[in-house]
Amino acid sequence: MRTPSSALALFPLLLLLLLLFLSPFTSARRRTCPYEATREARSLIENLIGDTVSGSVPEECPLHSSHDFLLPHHLMSAKHRQLRHRCKACDRNFSSRLLLDDHLWEEHQDVLDPEAACFADYCDLVLCPSSADSFFRTLSPSVCDPLSLEHRHVQCTKIVDGCFEPEERASFRARLCDHLHCAAREYTEGRYEEDAARWSSWDAFKYGALAIVTSLVLVMYLGVCMWQKELSIANDLRRLSSSRHAWIGTSKQKDS
């Protein structure tokens, strides 16, 4: 029978298990708003706004920097000497941006506005480099969801209408929204043509030379292996011949 004291002894263990179970949910905001994708989207949005006539957007625009969930952490980050990253709030240095991101999330969540928007959610509009290829793969007829893309296209149109002047909206709708449909094959084909254009003669020479050098090294390795194997066989034959002659000589001495 379990005593009250034994039940109390199990309480810390149960509490630890509960904390471990709930920990993924407490960090859900971080997983749904990745730092690196947010940085990419923020940079592309800043370039986009810079192309407007006024060089700015109204504060009620969803793309305005005041709605950027992770912007406070970005402003608290600094690149220090010797490729180190520094937290301005507590003046600590970190060897990588990832470690600095972890520190900011763990120690400085109080500066974040939970009502702000995660700019990484705009990666499908501005085509962030880290996710553009995977997004275009979702446009394949076998996996494309026309209803969700149509809904996203409506959202994109509302963003454009709320952020840009009437004379600029057609241009920005083409840049942000026109690829949000299952038949956007011209975008994927254009990207693949750009990738093919980057394959210059110098690239072909480098990779061809690498293939030739690799082949030569492999041939030399196989040649050395075969040569050592032949030497080993020759040595074995000589030892066998010597042993045979010695055995024959011993037999003759016994017969005589």
Side-chain angles (χ1 to χ4, degrees), residues 74-190:
H74 174 70
L75 298 177
M76 293 168 62
S77 306
K79 191 69 173 294
H80 200 41
R81 61 180 180 273
Q82 296 178 354
L83 302 178
R84 298 183 70 85
H85 302 268
R86 182 169 62 88
C87 173
K88 296 179 181 179
C90 49
D91 201 26
R92 290 179 57 186
N93 293 325
F94 300 88
S95 59
S96 69
R97 190 59 183 263
L98 179 61
L99 293 177
L100 175 58
D101 292 342
D102 290 339
H103 163 76
L104 291 171
W105 181 258
E106 297 295 336
E107 303 295 336
H108 302 294
Q109 288 192 50
D110 56 313
V111 301
L112 300 178
D113 180 8
E115 301 299 323
C118 177
F119 270 29
D121 293 341
Y122 299 127
C123 273
D124 58 339
L125 306 186
V126 297
L127 298 178
C128 298
S130 63
S131 59
D133 289 336
S134 60
F135 168 75
F136 281 118
R137 281 194 289 271
T138 64
L139 302 182
S140 172
S142 60
V143 296
C144 187
D145 184 356
L147 292 179
S148 63
L149 280 179
E150 182 181 357
H151 178 67
R152 188 58 171 159
H153 191 278
V154 172
Q155 292 178 331
C156 179
T157 303
K158 290 181 179 180
I159 291 174
V160 171
D161 292 344
C163 293
F164 304 103
E165 298 297 330
E167 62 273 13
E168 298 176 315
R169 290 172 186 171
S171 171
F172 284 104
R173 273 196 294 266
R175 295 173 64 175
L176 295 175
C177 310
D178 279 3
H179 58 276
L180 298 173
H181 59 90
C182 292
R185 296 182 59 85
E186 63 272 16
Y187 291 92
T188 57
E189 291 171 356

Side-chain angles (χ1 to χ4, degrees), residues 195-213:
D195 292 339
R198 296 191 190 101
W199 183 266
S200 62
S201 57
W202 173 243
D203 294 322
F205 172 77
K206 287 191 297 185
Y207 289 109
L210 178 62
I212 292 173
V213 171

Side-chain angles (χ1 to χ4, degrees), residues 1-19:
M1 184 176 178
R2 189 172 294 174
T3 62
S5 60
S6 62
L8 290 175
L10 290 175
F11 179 76
L13 179 60
L14 294 175
L15 181 61
L16 178 61
L17 291 175
L18 181 63
L19 292 175

